[in-house]
Amino acid sequence: MDNVYAVVEDNIVTNIVMWDGTEEWEPEKGEAFPAPSNVGIGWSYVDGEYIAPPEPEDIASVIDA
């Protein structure tokens, strides 16, 4: 998917937007960076790289512990 941008605040992706990159626009908070289509809210953005959040624990394994 082209034209996907991540809105990043304090190194955390807070929103994903479609933007042509040429029209005048900026997010109310944070900055917008081009992003791969698999990036989502909650990912980290550090030194120009997106980092997925840790996978949630399987609740069944927590209950069985």
Side-chain angles (χ1 to χ4, degrees):
M1 191 181 298
D2 294 334
N3 301 328
V4 175
Y5 284 75
V7 176
V8 178
E9 299 176 51
D10 298 322
N11 296 331
I12 302 295
V13 176
T14 59
N15 202 359
I16 300 294
V17 298
M18 297 292 294
W19 176 40
D20 65 11
T22 59
E23 296 294 320
E24 192 168 321
W25 173 81
E26 64 181 55
E28 289 183 25
K29 293 182 181 179
E31 294 182 66
F33 299 97
S37 61
N38 66 323
V39 169
I41 293 172
W43 284 49
S44 297
Y45 185 72
V46 180
D47 296 328
E49 291 190 41
Y50 290 98
I51 303 164
E55 291 290 321
E57 284 189 52
D58 179 13
I59 192 69
S61 65
V62 174
I63 292 172
D64 292 337

